[in-house]
Amino acid sequence: MVATIVSAASTKYDNYPESSSRELFGEAAAEAFDGIDLTPADLDAVYVGNFMGDLIEDQGHMGPLLADHVGAREAASIRVESACASGGATVAQAVQAIEAGAAEAVLVGGVEQMSLADIAHVTDALANAADDVYENEQGLTFPGIYALIARRYMHEFGVTQADLAAVSVKNRNNAVANPLAQFQEEVSREDVLESKPIATPLRLYDACPVSDGASVVVVVSETFATAHDLDASARILGTGQSSDAVALQDRATITHMPAAERAATAAYDDAGVTPVDIDVAEVHDCFTIAEIVALEALGFYELGEGARGAVEGETALDGRLPVNPSGGLLGKGHPVGATGVGQLVELTKQLDGRHPNQVDDADTALAHNVGGSGASTTVTILGGA
Amino acid sequence: MPAWFDDFTAAIDAHEQECLVCEACGDRTLPPRQFCPACAATELTPEPLPDRGEILSYTEISVTIPKFRGETPYTVVLVELAEGVQLTGQLREATADEIELGDEVRLDTEPRDDGLALITFHPAST
Ligand SMILES: [Zn+2]
């Protein structure tokens, strides 16, 4: 039973301090149902990826709240939380429900409303994705954790801050053509290297912004699509998910990401493809170093070689493997619980041939979504309809 | 802060810090654990943990969470104390400019105003 995406939509990722999770989620869902012959009353389930609703909006129990707000009050609903991988984990749950025959039509969404709080409060809320006692209470921040990874990686593999900056330049410049992206201005390598330090060696432009936004995909079984005469936009060929220790200090290695390797292996096996089959990828670049280690874990580069992607233009829009043509988290923004679903919205457009940064002949696509500093990872592989 | 961490830091103050060693596979880990993270065995025996280790990585933090506001910039180090046992703490008596990966540091703790202990590391020479 192959799960099929029949509609996909996102709000623009931005700061909406006057909005709320229910409004953002409703806006994305309204666009997704507009123009397809399906109504929310037809849904068996609504799965919602969300990380910090209870920390920022004092709102837990997002499953039924948002199901109600998209006109599906009676559907089975649940919030899926896996930090910044909440969106990807939500997709995996929906695919499993459809493959098991437990559901035929699922609204898979993610939402985050972060800009209601000041930056210190948001940093504090994000820190919940780390080990509270061994990391946060010792003064380690979330950027600080990635900074520890970056410093060690640079030391072991002779990578420079300018090499890291190349990732930010690529992704932020890709964002300019994407109307759904938060950042719409070109940046240079100097802009990145001269931005203010947040946790050395990482600077402000090595990091993704604080974002609000929602993304949804309507996922149905192939038989349901046929029975309801729904056109498929993309097929979900495979999913994979794995975990690692939450605290960086408890990992066997900090310069590569075994959980991502395991998730990727499972997804490739499930889809029956290998890394060379991937035409376009959206990978989790919450920090510049994160994209580099992701490219290695996903099998696109050998260990220590990932920086070559952006530095040598191989992951540019016109490179051999375009990575983050949407702008990625660095350029498009990172409304935490929405991000993993938003990646599928972008890739569905690529496979449909209607992306503002369209990759030629895109037929197989990969999304990679990370929670915390690598403690949870999902990989989803999509094929053209 | 949970009681187990008070016990862990009190042991450091008494120079009696310990890690847990798996009887089945030898994996070393930090408390509290009921299962070995490497093999899931449940026979874990406390063993002395060295108070000196090597800096694996470090970062000078300028933007922090509310609890540490007003203390920036400060440096956090990730230190390997024994094979497989790494610990995160704040650097004292040196700045980020004065250390390098591989430098030897000494484990300590420091009380905070809220009564909780912070893990700290000092250059081993001091
Ligand atoms: Zn063991």
Side-chain angles (χ1 to χ4, degrees), chain A residues 118-121 123-124 127 131-141 143-145 147-152 155 196-202 245 248-254, chain B residues 1-2 4-5 8 29-33 55-69 74 76-78 84-90 96 101 112 116-119:
Chain A
D118 64 39
I119 185 67
H121 184 175
T123 307
D124 206 28
D131 184 316
D132 185 59
V133 176
Y134 274 122
E135 297 187 321
N136 300 335
E137 293 286 349
Q138 309 314 318
L140 192 54
T141 62
I145 295 171
L148 292 173
I149 295 171
R151 171 98 57 198
R152 186 74 205 175
H155 172 78
K196 99 180 159 142
I198 49 173
T200 60
L202 300 181
L248 197 64
Q249 66 183 32
D250 292 337
R251 307 246 181 97
T253 167
I254 68 166
Chain B
M1 197 66 100
W4 66 261
F5 193 72
F8 181 69
T29 188
L30 289 171
R33 288 197 184 257
I55 297 176
L56 284 181
S57 196
Y58 64 93
T59 178
E60 185 181 75
I61 291 181
S62 310
V63 178
T64 190
I65 56 180
K67 178 172 173 149
F68 293 95
R69 200 186 286 180
Y74 58 86
V76 172
V77 290
L78 178 67
V85 178
Q86 300 162 26
L87 191 58
T88 307
Q90 292 193 16
L101 302 192
R112 285 183 61 86
L116 302 170
L118 196 66
I119 302 282

Coordinates of all heavy atoms in Angstrom, one line a residue, chain A residues 118-121 123-124 127 131-141 143-145 147-152 155 196-202 245 248-254, chain B residues 1-2 4-5 8 29-33 55-69 74 76-78 84-90 96 101 112 116-119:
Chain A
D118 N 10.2 36.3 23.5 CA 11.5 37.0 23.2 C 12.5 36.0 23.0 O 12.4 34.8 23.3 CB 11.9 38.0 24.3 CG 12.2 37.4 25.6 OD1 12.7 36.3 25.7 OD2 11.8 38.0 26.7
I119 N 13.7 36.4 22.4 CA 14.7 35.4 21.9 C 15.2 34.6 23.0 O 15.5 33.4 22.8 CB 15.8 36.2 21.1 CG1 16.8 35.2 20.5 CG2 16.5 37.2 22.0 CD1 16.2 34.3 19.4
A120 N 15.4 35.2 24.2 CA 15.9 34.4 25.3 C 14.9 33.2 25.7 O 15.3 32.1 26.0 CB 16.1 35.3 26.6
H121 N 13.6 33.6 25.7 CA 12.6 32.5 26.0 C 12.6 31.5 24.9 O 12.5 30.3 25.2 CB 11.3 33.2 26.2 CG 10.1 32.4 26.6 ND1 8.9 32.8 26.8 CD2 10.1 31.0 26.8 CE1 8.1 31.8 27.2 NE2 8.8 30.7 27.2
T123 N 15.1 30.6 23.0 CA 16.4 29.8 23.1 C 16.2 28.8 24.3 O 16.6 27.7 24.2 CB 17.5 30.8 23.4 OG1 17.6 31.8 22.4 CG2 18.9 30.0 23.4
D124 N 15.5 29.3 25.3 CA 15.3 28.4 26.5 C 14.3 27.2 26.1 O 14.5 26.1 26.5 CB 14.6 29.2 27.6 CG 14.9 28.6 29.0 OD1 15.9 28.0 29.1 OD2 14.0 28.9 29.9
A127 N 16.0 24.7 24.0 CA 17.0 24.0 24.8 C 16.3 22.7 25.3 O 17.0 21.8 25.7 CB 17.5 24.8 25.9
D131 N 19.8 17.6 26.6 CA 19.7 17.0 27.9 C 19.8 18.1 29.0 O 20.8 18.8 29.1 CB 21.0 16.1 28.1 CG 21.0 15.3 29.4 OD1 20.7 15.8 30.5 OD2 21.3 14.1 29.4
D132 N 18.7 18.2 29.7 CA 18.6 19.4 30.6 C 19.7 19.4 31.6 O 20.3 20.5 31.9 CB 17.2 19.4 31.3 CG 17.0 20.7 32.1 OD1 17.1 21.7 31.5 OD2 16.8 20.6 33.4
V133 N 19.9 18.3 32.3 CA 20.9 18.3 33.4 C 22.3 18.4 32.9 O 23.1 19.3 33.4 CB 20.7 17.1 34.3 CG1 21.7 17.1 35.4 CG2 19.3 17.1 34.9
Y134 N 22.7 17.5 32.0 CA 24.1 17.5 31.6 C 24.5 18.5 30.6 O 25.7 18.8 30.3 CB 24.4 16.1 31.1 CG 24.8 15.1 32.1 CD1 24.1 13.9 32.3 CD2 25.9 15.3 32.9 CE1 24.4 12.9 33.2 CE2 26.3 14.3 33.9 CZ 25.5 13.1 34.0 OH 25.9 12.2 35.0
E135 N 23.5 19.2 29.9 CA 23.8 20.2 28.9 C 23.3 21.6 29.3 O 24.1 22.5 29.6 CB 23.3 19.8 27.6 CG 24.0 18.5 27.1 CD 23.7 18.1 25.7 OE1 22.5 18.2 25.2 OE2 24.6 17.6 25.0
N136 N 22.0 21.8 29.4 CA 21.5 23.1 29.6 C 21.9 23.7 31.0 O 22.3 24.8 31.1 CB 19.9 23.1 29.6 CG 19.4 22.6 28.2 OD1 20.1 22.8 27.2 ND2 18.2 22.1 28.3
E137 N 21.8 22.9 32.0 CA 22.1 23.4 33.3 C 23.6 23.7 33.5 O 24.1 24.3 34.5 CB 21.7 22.4 34.4 CG 20.2 22.2 34.5 CD 19.5 23.4 35.2 OE1 20.2 24.3 35.7 OE2 18.2 23.5 35.1
Q138 N 24.4 23.2 32.5 CA 25.9 23.5 32.5 C 26.2 24.8 31.7 O 27.3 25.1 31.5 CB 26.7 22.3 32.1 CG 26.3 21.0 32.8 CD 26.2 21.2 34.3 OE1 27.1 21.9 34.9 NE2 25.2 20.6 34.9
G139 N 25.1 25.4 31.1 CA 25.3 26.6 30.3 C 25.5 26.3 28.8 O 25.8 27.3 28.1
L140 N 25.3 25.1 28.4 CA 25.4 24.8 27.0 C 24.1 25.1 26.3 O 23.0 24.7 26.7 CB 25.7 23.3 26.8 CG 26.2 22.9 25.4 CD1 27.4 23.8 24.9 CD2 26.6 21.4 25.4
T141 N 24.2 25.9 25.2 CA 23.0 26.2 24.5 C 22.9 25.3 23.3 O 23.8 24.6 22.9 CB 23.1 27.7 23.9 OG1 24.2 27.8 23.1 CG2 23.2 28.7 25.1
P143 N 22.8 26.3 19.9 CA 23.9 26.6 19.0 C 25.2 26.2 19.5 O 26.1 25.8 18.8 CB 23.8 28.2 18.9 CG 22.4 28.5 19.3 CD 22.0 27.5 20.3
G144 N 25.4 26.2 20.9 CA 26.6 25.8 21.5 C 26.9 24.3 21.2 O 28.1 23.9 21.0
I145 N 25.9 23.5 21.2 CA 26.1 22.1 20.9 C 26.6 21.9 19.5 O 27.6 21.1 19.2 CB 24.8 21.3 21.2 CG1 24.4 21.3 22.7 CG2 24.9 19.8 20.7 CD1 23.0 20.8 23.0
A147 N 28.1 24.1 17.8 CA 29.4 24.7 17.8 C 30.5 23.7 18.2 O 31.6 23.6 17.6 CB 29.5 25.9 18.7
L148 N 30.2 22.9 19.2 CA 31.1 21.8 19.6 C 31.3 20.8 18.5 O 32.5 20.4 18.3 CB 30.6 21.1 20.9 CG 30.5 21.9 22.2 CD1 29.8 21.1 23.3 CD2 31.9 22.3 22.6
I149 N 30.3 20.5 17.8 CA 30.4 19.6 16.6 C 31.3 20.2 15.5 O 32.2 19.6 15.0 CB 29.0 19.2 16.1 CG1 28.2 18.4 17.1 CG2 29.1 18.5 14.7 CD1 26.7 18.2 16.7
A150 N 31.0 21.5 15.3 CA 31.7 22.2 14.2 C 33.2 22.3 14.5 O 34.0 22.1 13.7 CB 31.1 23.6 14.0
R151 N 33.5 22.7 15.8 CA 34.9 22.9 16.1 C 35.7 21.6 16.0 O 36.8 21.5 15.4 CB 35.0 23.3 17.6 CG 36.4 23.3 18.2 CD 37.1 24.7 18.2 NE 36.3 25.6 18.9 CZ 36.5 26.9 18.8 NH1 37.4 27.4 18.0 NH2 35.7 27.8 19.4
R152 N 35.1 20.5 16.4 CA 35.8 19.2 16.3 C 35.9 18.7 14.9 O 36.9 18.2 14.4 CB 35.0 18.1 17.1 CG 35.6 16.8 17.2 CD 36.8 16.8 18.2 NE 37.8 15.8 17.9 CZ 38.9 15.7 18.6 NH1 39.2 16.5 19.6 NH2 39.8 14.7 18.3
H155 N 38.6 20.7 13.1 CA 39.9 20.2 13.6 C 40.3 18.8 12.9 O 41.4 18.7 12.4 CB 39.8 20.0 15.1 CG 41.0 19.3 15.7 ND1 42.2 19.9 15.9 CD2 41.2 18.0 16.2 CE1 43.1 19.1 16.5 NE2 42.5 17.9 16.6
K196 N 27.5 38.4 13.8 CA 28.0 38.4 15.2 C 28.1 37.0 15.7 O 27.4 36.1 15.3 CB 27.1 39.3 16.0 CG 26.0 38.6 16.8 CD 25.1 39.5 17.5 CE 23.8 38.8 17.8 NZ 23.2 39.0 19.0
P197 N 29.2 36.7 16.5 CA 29.4 35.4 17.1 C 28.2 35.0 18.0 O 27.8 35.9 18.8 CB 30.7 35.5 17.8 CG 31.2 36.9 17.8 CD 30.2 37.7 17.0
I198 N 27.8 33.8 17.9 CA 26.7 33.3 18.9 C 27.3 32.2 19.8 O 27.1 32.2 21.0 CB 25.5 32.8 18.2 CG1 25.7 31.9 17.0 CG2 24.7 34.0 17.7 CD1 24.5 31.2 16.4
A199 N 28.1 31.3 19.2 CA 28.8 30.3 19.9 C 30.0 29.9 19.0 O 29.8 29.2 18.0 CB 27.9 29.1 20.2
T200 N 31.1 30.4 19.3 CA 32.3 30.2 18.4 C 32.5 28.7 18.1 O 32.3 27.9 19.0 CB 33.6 30.8 19.0 OG1 33.9 30.1 20.2 CG2 33.5 32.3 19.2
P201 N 32.8 28.3 16.9 CA 33.1 29.1 15.7 C 31.9 29.5 14.9 O 32.0 30.0 13.8 CB 34.0 28.1 14.9 CG 33.4 26.8 15.2 CD 33.0 26.9 16.7
L202 N 30.7 29.3 15.5 CA 29.5 29.6 14.7 C 29.0 31.1 14.9 O 29.1 31.6 16.0 CB 28.3 28.7 15.1 CG 28.6 27.2 14.8 CD1 27.3 26.4 15.2 CD2 28.9 26.9 13.3
A245 N 21.8 9.0 21.5 CA 21.8 9.6 22.8 C 21.4 11.1 22.6 O 21.9 11.7 21.7 CB 23.2 9.5 23.5
L248 N 25.2 15.2 23.7 CA 26.3 15.1 22.8 C 27.4 14.2 23.5 O 28.1 13.4 22.9 CB 26.9 16.5 22.5 CG 27.8 16.6 21.3 CD1 27.1 16.2 20.0 CD2 28.3 18.0 21.2
Q249 N 27.6 14.5 24.8 CA 28.7 13.8 25.6 C 28.5 12.3 25.6 O 29.4 11.6 25.9 CB 28.8 14.4 27.0 CG 27.6 14.1 27.9 CD 27.7 14.7 29.2 OE1 28.3 15.8 29.4 NE2 27.1 14.1 30.2
D250 N 27.3 11.8 25.4 CA 27.0 10.4 25.4 C 27.1 9.7 24.1 O 26.9 8.5 24.0 CB 25.6 10.1 26.0 CG 25.5 10.5 27.5 OD1 26.5 10.5 28.1 OD2 24.3 10.8 27.9
R251 N 27.5 10.4 23.1 CA 27.6 9.8 21.7 C 28.9 9.2 21.5 O 30.0 9.7 22.0 CB 27.4 10.9 20.6 CG 26.1 11.7 20.8 CD 25.1 11.5 19.8 NE 24.0 12.3 20.1 CZ 23.8 13.5 19.6 NH1 24.6 14.0 18.6 NH2 22.7 14.3 19.9
A252 N 28.9 8.2 20.7 CA 30.2 7.5 20.4 C 31.1 8.4 19.5 O 32.3 8.3 19.5 CB 29.9 6.2 19.6
T253 N 30.5 9.3 18.7 CA 31.2 10.2 17.9 C 30.4 11.5 17.8 O 29.2 11.5 17.9 CB 31.4 9.7 16.5 OG1 31.8 10.7 15.6 CG2 30.1 9.1 15.9
I254 N 31.1 12.7 17.7 CA 30.4 13.9 17.5 C 30.6 14.5 16.1 O 30.1 15.6 15.8 CB 30.7 14.9 18.6 CG1 32.1 15.5 18.5 CG2 30.4 14.4 20.0 CD1 32.3 16.7 19.4
Chain B
M1 N 17.1 20.8 40.4 CA 18.0 19.7 39.9 C 17.7 18.4 40.6 O 17.5 18.4 41.8 CB 19.5 20.2 40.2 CG 20.5 19.5 39.4 SD 20.4 19.8 37.7 CE 21.7 21.0 37.5
P2 N 17.8 17.3 39.9 CA 17.5 16.0 40.5 C 18.5 15.6 41.5 O 19.7 16.0 41.4 CB 17.5 15.1 39.3 CG 18.2 15.7 38.2 CD 18.1 17.2 38.5
W4 N 20.0 12.8 42.0 CA 21.1 12.1 41.4 C 22.3 13.0 41.0 O 23.5 12.6 41.2 CB 20.7 11.1 40.3 CG 20.3 11.8 39.0 CD1 19.0 12.0 38.7 CD2 21.1 12.3 38.0 NE1 18.9 12.6 37.4 CE2 20.2 12.8 37.0 CE3 22.4 12.4 37.8 CZ2 20.6 13.4 35.8 CZ3 22.9 13.0 36.6 CH2 22.0 13.5 35.6
F5 N 21.9 14.2 40.5 CA 23.0 15.1 40.1 C 23.7 15.7 41.3 O 24.9 16.0 41.3 CB 22.5 16.1 39.1 CG 23.5 16.9 38.4 CD1 24.3 16.3 37.4 CD2 23.8 18.2 38.7 CE1 25.3 17.0 36.8 CE2 24.9 18.9 38.1 CZ 25.6 18.3 37.1
F8 N 26.1 13.2 42.3 CA 27.2 13.2 41.3 C 28.2 14.3 41.6 O 29.4 14.1 41.6 CB 26.6 13.2 39.9 CG 27.7 13.2 38.8 CD1 28.4 12.0 38.6 CD2 27.9 14.3 38.0 CE1 29.3 11.9 37.5 CE2 28.9 14.2 37.0 CZ 29.6 13.1 36.8
T29 N 29.8 4.6 31.3 CA 28.8 5.6 31.1 C 28.6 6.4 32.4 O 29.2 6.1 33.4 CB 27.5 5.0 30.7 OG1 26.5 6.0 30.3 CG2 26.9 4.1 31.7
L30 N 27.8 7.5 32.3 CA 27.6 8.3 33.5 C 26.3 8.0 34.1 O 25.3 7.6 33.5 CB 27.7 9.8 33.1 CG 29.1 10.3 32.8 CD1 29.1 11.7 32.2 CD2 30.0 10.3 34.0
P31 N 26.1 8.3 35.4 CA 24.9 8.0 36.1 C 23.8 9.0 35.7 O 24.1 10.1 35.2 CB 25.2 8.2 37.6 CG 26.4 9.1 37.6 CD 27.2 8.8 36.4
P32 N 22.5 8.7 36.0 CA 22.0 7.4 36.5 C 21.6 6.6 35.3 O 20.9 7.0 34.4 CB 20.8 7.9 37.3 CG 20.3 9.0 36.5 CD 21.5 9.7 35.9
R33 N 21.9 5.3 35.3 CA 21.5 4.4 34.3 C 21.1 3.0 34.9 O 21.9 2.6 35.8 CB 22.5 4.2 33.2 CG 22.7 5.4 32.3 CD 23.4 5.0 31.0 NE 23.6 6.2 30.2 CZ 22.9 6.5 29.2 NH1 21.9 5.8 28.8 NH2 23.2 7.6 28.4
I55 N 40.5 18.0 26.3 CA 39.5 18.7 25.6 C 39.2 18.2 24.3 O 40.1 18.1 23.4 CB 39.9 20.2 25.5 CG1 40.0 20.9 26.9 CG2 38.8 21.0 24.7 CD1 40.5 22.3 26.9
L56 N 38.0 17.7 24.0 CA 37.6 17.2 22.7 C 37.1 18.3 21.8 O 37.2 18.3 20.6 CB 36.4 16.2 22.9 CG 36.8 14.8 23.3 CD1 35.5 13.9 23.4 CD2 37.8 14.1 22.4
S57 N 36.4 19.3 22.5 CA 35.9 20.5 21.7 C 35.5 21.5 22.7 O 35.4 21.3 23.9 CB 34.7 20.1 20.9 OG 34.4 21.1 19.9
Y58 N 35.4 22.8 22.2 CA 35.0 23.9 23.1 C 34.3 25.0 22.3 O 34.4 25.0 21.0 CB 36.2 24.5 23.8 CG 37.2 25.1 22.9 CD1 37.1 26.5 22.6 CD2 38.2 24.4 22.3 CE1 38.1 27.1 21.8 CE2 39.1 24.9 21.5 CZ 39.1 26.3 21.2 OH 40.0 26.9 20.4
T59 N 33.5 25.8 23.0 CA 32.8 26.9 22.3 C 32.7 28.1 23.3 O 32.4 27.9 24.5 CB 31.4 26.5 21.8 OG1 30.8 27.6 21.2 CG2 30.5 25.9 22.8
E60 N 32.9 29.3 22.8 CA 32.6 30.5 23.6 C 31.2 31.0 23.3 O 30.9 31.3 22.1 CB 33.7 31.6 23.3 CG 33.5 32.8 24.2 CD 34.5 33.9 24.0 OE1 34.3 34.6 22.9 OE2 35.4 34.0 24.7
I61 N 30.4 31.0 24.3 CA 29.0 31.3 24.1 C 28.7 32.7 24.4 O 29.0 33.3 25.4 CB 28.1 30.3 25.0 CG1 28.3 28.9 24.4 CG2 26.7 30.8 25.0 CD1 27.5 27.9 25.1
S62 N 28.0 33.4 23.4 CA 27.7 34.8 23.5 C 26.2 35.0 23.7 O 25.7 36.1 24.2 CB 28.1 35.6 22.3 OG 29.5 35.3 22.0
V63 N 25.4 34.1 23.2 CA 23.9 34.2 23.3 C 23.4 33.0 24.1 O 23.7 31.9 23.7 CB 23.2 34.2 21.9 CG1 21.7 34.3 22.0 CG2 23.8 35.3 21.0
T64 N 22.8 33.3 25.2 CA 22.5 32.1 26.1 C 21.0 32.1 26.6 O 20.2 33.0 26.2 CB 23.5 32.1 27.3 OG1 23.3 30.9 28.0 CG2 23.2 33.3 28.2
I65 N 20.7 31.1 27.4 CA 19.4 30.9 27.9 C 19.3 31.8 29.2 O 20.3 32.3 29.7 CB 19.1 29.4 28.3 CG1 20.2 28.9 29.3 CG2 19.1 28.6 27.0 CD1 20.0 27.4 29.7
P66 N 18.0 32.1 29.6 CA 17.8 33.1 30.7 C 18.7 32.8 31.9 O 19.2 33.7 32.6 CB 16.3 33.0 31.0 CG 15.7 32.7 29.6 CD 16.8 31.7 29.0
K67 N 18.8 31.6 32.3 CA 19.6 31.2 33.5 C 21.0 31.8 33.5 O 21.5 32.0 34.6 CB 19.6 29.7 33.6 CG 20.3 29.2 34.8 CD 20.2 27.7 35.0 CE 21.1 27.2 36.1 NZ 20.6 26.1 36.9
F68 N 21.6 31.9 32.4 CA 23.0 32.3 32.3 C 23.1 33.7 31.7 O 24.2 34.2 31.4 CB 23.9 31.3 31.5 CG 24.0 30.0 32.2 CD1 23.1 29.0 31.9 CD2 24.9 29.8 33.2 CE1 23.2 27.8 32.5 CE2 25.0 28.6 33.9 CZ 24.1 27.6 33.5
R69 N 22.0 34.4 31.6 CA 22.1 35.8 31.1 C 23.0 36.7 32.1 O 22.9 36.5 33.3 CB 20.7 36.4 31.1 CG 20.5 37.6 30.1 CD 19.2 38.2 30.2 NE 18.2 37.4 29.6 CZ 16.9 37.7 29.5 NH1 16.5 38.9 30.1 NH2 16.0 37.0 28.9
Y74 N 31.1 33.1 28.0 CA 31.7 32.1 28.8 C 32.0 30.9 27.9 O 31.4 30.8 26.8 CB 30.9 31.7 30.0 CG 29.5 31.1 29.7 CD1 29.3 29.8 29.4 CD2 28.4 32.0 29.7 CE1 28.1 29.3 29.0 CE2 27.1 31.5 29.4 CZ 27.0 30.2 29.0 OH 25.7 29.7 28.7
V76 N 32.3 26.8 27.1 CA 31.9 25.5 27.5 C 32.9 24.5 26.8 O 33.2 24.6 25.6 CB 30.5 25.2 27.1 CG1 30.1 23.7 27.3 CG2 29.5 26.1 27.9
V77 N 33.3 23.5 27.6 CA 34.2 22.5 27.0 C 33.6 21.1 27.1 O 32.8 20.8 28.0 CB 35.6 22.5 27.7 CG1 36.4 23.7 27.4 CG2 35.5 22.3 29.2
L78 N 33.9 20.3 26.1 CA 33.5 18.9 26.1 C 34.8 18.1 26.4 O 35.7 18.2 25.6 CB 32.9 18.5 24.8 CG 32.4 17.0 24.7 CD1 31.3 16.7 25.6 CD2 32.0 16.7 23.2
G84 N 35.3 6.6 26.6 CA 33.9 6.5 26.5 C 33.1 7.4 27.4 O 31.9 7.5 27.3
V85 N 33.8 8.1 28.3 CA 33.1 9.0 29.3 C 33.5 10.4 29.0 O 34.7 10.8 29.2 CB 33.5 8.6 30.8 CG1 32.8 9.6 31.7 CG2 33.0 7.2 31.1
Q86 N 32.6 11.2 28.5 CA 32.8 12.6 28.2 C 31.8 13.4 29.1 O 30.7 12.9 29.4 CB 32.5 12.8 26.7 CG 33.4 12.1 25.8 CD 32.8 12.0 24.4 OE1 32.1 12.9 23.9 NE2 33.2 11.0 23.6
L87 N 32.3 14.6 29.4 CA 31.5 15.4 30.3 C 31.6 16.9 29.8 O 32.6 17.3 29.4 CB 32.0 15.3 31.7 CG 31.2 15.9 32.9 CD1 29.8 15.3 32.9 CD2 31.9 15.6 34.2
T88 N 30.4 17.6 30.0 CA 30.3 19.0 29.5 C 30.4 19.9 30.7 O 29.7 19.6 31.7 CB 29.0 19.2 28.8 OG1 28.8 18.2 27.8 CG2 28.9 20.5 28.2
G89 N 31.2 20.9 30.6 CA 31.3 21.9 31.8 C 31.9 23.2 31.3 O 32.3 23.4 30.2
Q90 N 31.8 24.1 32.2 CA 32.3 25.5 31.9 C 33.8 25.6 32.3 O 34.3 25.1 33.3 CB 31.5 26.6 32.6 CG 30.1 26.6 32.1 CD 29.3 27.9 32.5 OE1 29.9 28.8 33.0 NE2 28.0 27.8 32.4
A96 N 38.7 31.1 25.9 CA 38.7 30.2 24.7 C 40.0 30.4 23.9 O 40.5 29.5 23.3 CB 37.5 30.5 23.9
L101 N 42.3 22.1 21.4 CA 41.8 20.7 21.5 C 43.0 19.8 21.9 O 44.1 20.0 21.5 CB 41.3 20.2 20.1 CG 40.2 21.0 19.6 CD1 39.5 20.3 18.4 CD2 39.1 21.4 20.6
R112 N 26.3 27.5 42.6 CA 25.7 28.6 42.0 C 24.7 29.2 43.1 O 24.4 28.6 44.1 CB 24.9 28.3 40.7 CG 25.8 28.0 39.5 CD 25.0 27.8 38.3 NE 24.1 28.8 37.9 CZ 24.5 29.9 37.2 NH1 25.7 29.9 36.7 NH2 23.7 30.8 36.8
L116 N 22.6 25.1 43.2 CA 23.0 24.0 42.4 C 24.4 24.1 42.0 O 25.0 25.1 42.0 CB 22.1 24.0 41.2 CG 20.6 24.0 41.5 CD1 19.8 24.2 40.2 CD2 20.2 22.6 42.1
A117 N 25.0 22.9 41.7 CA 26.4 22.9 41.3 C 26.5 22.9 39.8 O 25.7 22.3 39.0 CB 27.0 21.6 41.9
L118 N 27.6 23.6 39.4 CA 27.9 23.6 38.0 C 29.2 22.8 37.8 O 30.1 22.8 38.6 CB 28.2 25.1 37.6 CG 28.3 25.5 36.2 CD1 26.9 25.5 35.6 CD2 28.8 27.0 36.2
I119 N 29.2 22.0 36.7 CA 30.5 21.3 36.4 C 31.5 22.3 35.8 O 31.1 23.0 34.9 CB 30.2 20.2 35.3 CG1 29.1 19.2 35.8 CG2 31.5 19.5 34.9 CD1 29.6 18.2 36.8

